[in-house]
Amino acid sequence: MSELVIYEDEFLQILGKGEDVYIETLKRGISFDMLHNVLSLHPEIDVKSFITLKNAINSAPKPPEPFGKLKEKIVIDILDNDLKAIICFNVPKEQLDIKNRDGLAAEAKAKLREKGIVYGIRDEILYGELIPGKPYSIAEGIPPINGHDAVVKLYELQDTKPILSEDGKVNFYELQLINRIKSGEWLGEMTYPTEGTPGVNIKGTPIKAEKGKSLLLNYDRASVQEVSEEGKTTLYSKINGAVNYIDGKLTVSNHLEIDGDVDFKTGNVKFDGYVTINGTVADGFSVEATKDIEINGQLGLGNIKEISSTFGSIFIRGGIASKGKSEIKAGKDVFTKFV
């Protein structure tokens, strides 16, 4: 087996025999720190036994003893699921001189081919400044970009609580119980998921991108229509009515709006849905609805017979001033200025 003289001076020799590295001390006079400085100039040596080195110095002269291994000259590691390769040159500094770079670059490229690395190779690394033992990113693939998930925006119901003014007082006049909508008005939309952009790894293999997740629009097809537009689906109301969510389903329910008063001109009102009265309810008359009821007249109510909401709430803007004969019944809440 041939010997390779890696380093020698008057005190010692460092020899390479195959993969093994030996130290032979010739005489005393070298410290361990001095030896450490010598080894730092040779990153190709992987020290396995510091005790052997100490004994060789302390017991000099001493015949050759193995203390380490020769590292691979050019080491390439593949990382991140074949998306990146790191190269490291385990050679003395003088071998990395730019005058010797063509041969070293040819060796590195051959090593890359051996590992199947063909894409994203950074040739500029091989001809730039190199430091022995330092890792460099020699090849980089392109990771896939997954598609964006679908995005859903839906009509937001207004809060039915009275609004607090800046002075802390409750402003009952700003409460709107019913979320009115007209036929053809916007109710919601879903932006479609995107396909994503595929990538490629350093071995030239395409990487498929994941498509964004799709979502479902939950709405009542009898009262809401779906229109497909570029990149999205938009929901519009089919009717004039009131927006509501029933078991999570977007719905436009029937909405009866009376511009004046409930009196002899209208008679008692009984309606399956939402009711808005922009005036008041005359004495002796009643209003019954399955959903919310709004009575927006400033005069309020007197001796009405009954205001009843089976499943909703009741809002009376002007208050109630009856003589103990009126009934106000709601499945949820009653909002009024005074009773």
Side-chain angles (χ1 to χ4, degrees):
M1 183 182 296
S2 61
E3 288 186 352
L4 169 67
V5 178
I6 298 173
Y7 175 84
E8 64 179 342
D9 61 21
E10 61 180 308
F11 300 104
L12 58 85
Q13 277 191 334
I14 297 176
L15 307 170
K17 297 180 182 180
E19 294 183 355
D20 296 318
V21 182
Y22 292 74
I23 184 170
E24 179 183 3
T25 49
L26 306 175
K27 65 178 182 178
R28 291 178 180 271
I30 187 171
S31 68
F32 191 80
D33 286 340
M34 295 168 65
L35 176 59
H36 181 270
N37 291 334
V38 170
L39 292 174
S40 67
L41 299 175
H42 292 274
E44 70 273 25
I45 299 175
D46 183 13
V47 177
K48 299 295 185 181
S49 174
F50 285 98
I51 294 177
T52 299
L53 294 174
K54 286 184 177 180
N55 289 337
I57 292 173
N58 295 333
S59 303
K62 200 167 176 58
E65 287 188 89
F67 72 91
K69 297 282 185 180
L70 279 175
K71 296 178 184 177
E72 193 174 357
K73 182 179 180 180
I74 300 174
V75 176
I76 297 176
D77 292 319
I78 296 175
L79 309 174
D80 300 338
N81 294 321
D82 293 346
L83 277 172
K84 189 174 184 179
I86 300 296
I87 193 168
C88 183
F89 297 94
N90 296 314
V91 296
K93 186 176 181 179
E94 58 269 17
Q95 292 188 28
L96 292 179
D97 191 283
I98 195 67
K99 294 179 292 187
N100 306 320
R101 200 61 65 79
D102 287 340
L104 192 68
E107 287 185 58
K109 290 180 179 180
K111 195 85 170 178
L112 289 167
R113 288 193 296 272
E114 285 178 19
K115 290 184 171 287
I117 300 171
V118 296
Y119 183 86
I121 297 173
R122 303 175 63 196
D123 288 329
E124 68 275 13
I125 294 296
L126 300 177
Y127 292 96
E129 181 182 3
L130 294 176
I131 298 174
K134 181 179 177 179
Y136 295 90
S137 176
I138 188 62
E140 294 179 2
I142 299 176
I145 300 174
N146 293 334
H148 295 292
D149 294 341
V151 177
V152 172
K153 297 179 182 178
L154 294 176
Y155 185 102
E156 294 185 10
L157 299 179
Q158 295 182 7
D159 194 349
T160 58
K161 294 180 181 179
I163 296 175
L164 285 173
S165 60
E166 292 183 359
D167 60 4
K169 295 181 179 180
V170 178
N171 188 346
F172 290 91
Y173 294 94
E174 295 300 324
L175 178 64
Q176 284 191 327
L177 206 57
I178 298 172
N179 291 267
R180 301 178 184 85
I181 197 165
K182 294 180 180 179
S183 175
E185 289 187 340
W186 182 92
L187 280 171
E189 64 186 45
M190 177 181 71
T191 303
Y192 300 150
T194 59
E195 294 290 339
T197 305
V200 59
N201 66 25
I202 58 176
K203 295 184 177 180
T205 304
I207 307 173
K208 186 179 179 181
E210 299 233 348
K211 183 178 179 179
K213 295 179 182 178
S214 186
L215 296 172
L216 293 176
L217 288 171
N218 188 14
Y219 63 92
D220 172 41
R221 297 184 183 275
S223 59
V224 180
Q225 67 175 340
E226 174 184 299
V227 178
S228 295
E229 302 173 318
E230 185 176 354
K232 65 180 180 180
T233 292
T234 306
L235 302 179
Y236 299 97
S237 177
K238 287 183 177 181
I239 61 174
N240 295 334
V243 183
N244 195 17
Y245 288 90
I246 300 175
D247 296 330
K249 180 184 289 187
L250 177 65
T251 304
V252 179
S253 301
N254 291 328
H255 176 222
L256 174 64
E257 186 167 8
I258 299 173
D259 287 334
D261 300 332
V262 173
D263 53 20
F264 290 102
K265 290 183 290 185
T266 61
N268 293 327
V269 174
K270 188 173 184 180
F271 188 69
D272 182 8
Y274 296 82
V275 173
T276 297
I277 300 166
N278 292 323
T280 187
V281 179
D283 291 352
F285 286 87
S286 65
V287 177
E288 296 178 60
T290 56
K291 303 291 186 180
D292 297 333
I293 299 172
E294 286 183 339
I295 302 173
N296 292 319
Q298 299 290 346
L299 296 177
L301 303 181
N303 284 321
I304 53 94
K305 180 179 180 182
E306 179 183 18
I307 306 294
S308 174
S309 171
T310 309
F311 303 109
S313 296
I314 297 172
F315 171 59
I316 303 168
R317 183 182 297 273
I320 306 168
S322 73
K323 297 179 180 178
K325 297 181 180 180
S326 303
E327 289 189 4
I328 309 293
K329 298 186 293 185
K332 293 183 180 177
D333 301 313
V334 174
F335 302 93
T336 185
K337 188 176 182 181
F338 64 85
V339 177

